[in-house]
Amino acid sequence: SSSSSSSSSSSSSSGGGGRGGSGGTSATVLSTTPVYVRGMCERYLPSSLCTLFVDIERTGEASQFYDKFTIRNHISRCLRHVLRMPAFREALVAFSDANSHVYDRFSNMLLNDIVYLLDELIQKLEAVHEIEQQRMTRAAWNVLGAAGRAERDHAQRRHERHARTCATLGVELVRLLRVVTRITPTSFVSAALVDRVAAVIQCYLSRLCGPRAHVLRSPRAVNAVRFDARHVLLMFAACVAHLAPYDAFATACAHDDRYYDGGGALRAAADTIEATASTTITTRVRAVLRAAVAEHQRAVLQNIDIDDAPDEFVDPIMQTLMRVPVQLPASGVICDRAVITRHLLSDATDPFNRAPLHVEQLVPLPQLQARIDAWLAEQQKQKREEPPAPRGDDGDERQ
């Protein structure tokens, strides 16, 4: 007990505890740890933390949905702390390569939590902004009466408390996303994840730079909620920069029907951060923008009407053309590999009969894939050979 107390006092006095700890403290502790223990920590700690991040999704407790955010906040801080050291970064890369199914689930759940927390944060900031606007309009505020004004004040404080919690938890996970996209970028541009990653990043670039961005940068957001929208924007921009060398990311951005908007989110982000971000980040964001615009233009020219596809070529979940068809062993249903893999990241069951299902059990169908590829090539050939539609004097296509 005395040695534990002494050790605890020593750690506290050296600044190792709490949020004030530094990377140097961890290095010092590891340097005085027996070699075999240090090696085990370096090898297994990153993988164990990622696995715990996944497993904590369901604890069996009634409060499991909210408990997981607090627990994952601690996991994120631990991960970011140890990943400052090369040995731990190498261990994370090795884990992501050797156990991609687990690491993909970790990445997917990280994105899910970011979306939930930031959406909750933005919703509460909008509610606070509405009350503030009402307070500034004296006539509208006075007509509420004393009881009404007291109720609105109470609602504002409640919204601010909830927003502050979401900001603390959500921003921490964005910090972790910035770190892991730098260390393991190839995992985030895999077929299973890249569409989701592009959608999430473009969504928040749009919201942080869009017409309602002033609400997220208001004095109440900064002072009462302690949310720094500009810093969060820079972190998402850094994620774009980390994934910029991979063509799959720009392609996914271009095919994101909800948030691509002609590259508006990427363009607005690049313009907004130009004065504060590093030249490398800004340059890479603009490179992704150019690649996404070019890909979108190419896709428009080669657009194939899915209604023309045979039913056996269409994914039953998303109603999109399958590119890599696979059969589910329990139900026998044929799906696109990318679609069913994304489903399994959140729910390891067959969506058609709820039987347990893992990626390794998916049955490839090379003959069906060859028929799909041949049909797609023929459709694209016909598209290229189509004569341009005649135009009227005003430049519009004739019907």
Side-chain angles (χ1 to χ4, degrees), residues 345-381:
L345 293 177
S346 301
D347 186 355
T349 62
D350 186 321
F352 298 96
N353 63 6
R354 312 306 298 169
L357 178 63
H358 300 284
V359 173
E360 295 81 3
Q361 296 174 283
L362 300 177
V363 181
L365 299 171
Q367 293 181 343
L368 177 57
Q369 182 172 347
R371 296 206 307 274
I372 293 174
D373 291 343
W375 179 85
L376 184 59
E378 179 62 26
Q379 295 297 308
Q380 291 174 342
K381 178 182 177 182

Side-chain angles (χ1 to χ4, degrees), residues 53-73:
F53 194 101
V54 172
D55 291 344
I56 209 66
E57 180 77 12
R58 292 181 176 86
T59 63
E61 300 292 332
S63 59
Q64 67 179 9
F65 179 78
Y66 298 101
D67 290 344
K68 70 179 182 181
F69 294 118
T70 302
I71 296 169
R72 284 174 175 170
N73 180 267

Side-chain angles (χ1 to χ4, degrees), residues 5 101 202 214 271 329 344 361 386 391 396:
S5 175
H101 60 291
Q202 288 196 120
H214 66 280
D271 293 342
L344 294 175
Q361 296 174 283
E386 282 182 0
R391 295 181 177 274
D396 294 333

Side-chain angles (χ1 to χ4, degrees), residues 14-277:
S14 65
R19 297 173 63 181
S22 65
T25 302
S26 294
T28 302
V29 171
L30 287 173
S31 68
T32 58
T33 302
V35 173
Y36 69 92
V37 175
R38 184 167 72 246
M40 289 181 64
C41 287
E42 292 172 348
R43 182 176 180 183
Y44 295 113
L45 185 57
S47 61
S48 297
L49 289 171
C50 291
T51 304
L52 178 59
F53 194 101
V54 172
D55 291 344
I56 209 66
E57 180 77 12
R58 292 181 176 86
T59 63
E61 300 292 332
S63 59
Q64 67 179 9
F65 179 78
Y66 298 101
D67 290 344
K68 70 179 182 181
F69 294 118
T70 302
I71 296 169
R72 284 174 175 170
N73 180 267
H74 295 303
I75 294 172
S76 175
R77 291 175 183 273
C78 290
L79 262 176
R80 288 196 304 110
H81 192 72
V82 300
L83 289 175
R84 299 172 184 175
M85 291 169 276
F88 289 93
R89 293 197 293 270
E90 292 169 6
L92 183 68
V93 172
F95 173 69
S96 68
D97 291 340
N99 299 273
S100 59
H101 60 291
V102 178
Y103 194 75
D104 285 351
R105 294 195 70 198
F106 157 75
S107 304
N108 186 63
M109 291 178 181
L110 173 60
L111 294 169
N112 288 346
D113 284 3
I114 288 173
V115 169
Y116 175 81
L117 292 166
L118 292 190
D119 280 359
E120 284 285 300
L121 166 65
I122 292 171
Q123 180 184 0
K124 297 307 178 185
L125 286 177
E126 289 280 3
V128 169
H129 180 73
E130 180 184 341
I131 296 173
E132 284 289 295
Q133 292 297 108
Q134 191 175 26
R135 182 181 282 108
M136 292 171 63
T137 308
R138 185 173 298 276
W141 188 250
N142 289 339
V143 78
L144 294 174
R149 291 193 294 272
E151 189 278 330
R152 297 295 277 169
D153 285 337
H154 176 72
Q156 179 171 343
R157 289 193 295 272
R158 185 175 67 251
H159 292 325
E160 288 176 348
R161 283 196 301 272
H162 188 74
R164 193 156 49 243
T165 299
C166 290
T168 299
L169 299 174
V171 172
E172 171 58 34
L173 294 182
V174 178
R175 292 191 186 103
L176 179 59
L177 181 66
R178 177 183 58 181
V179 171
V180 294
T181 53
R182 176 174 56 84
I183 299 172
T184 58
T186 54
S187 296
F188 288 88
V189 295
S190 66
L193 280 174
V194 67
D195 291 338
R196 174 76 167 145
V197 174
V200 170
I201 291 178
Q202 288 196 120
C203 169
Y204 290 107
L205 291 181
S206 175
R207 302 182 83 169
L208 291 164
C209 299
R212 301 293 295 171
H214 66 280
V215 174
L216 309 182
R217 299 174 184 173
S218 67
R220 298 299 300 182
V222 174
N223 299 322
V225 178
R226 296 193 287 275
F227 177 66
D228 186 347
R230 297 181 188 277
H231 179 58
V232 175
L233 174 61
L234 284 171
M235 290 194 289
F236 276 118
C239 294
V240 174
H242 298 155
L243 304 178
Y246 303 91
D247 293 340
F249 179 67
T251 300
C253 288
H255 290 273
D256 176 17
D257 294 333
R258 293 185 63 187
Y259 299 109
Y260 170 67
D261 189 26
L266 292 165
R267 185 178 294 105
D271 293 342
T272 304
I273 67 174
E274 194 157 24
T276 53

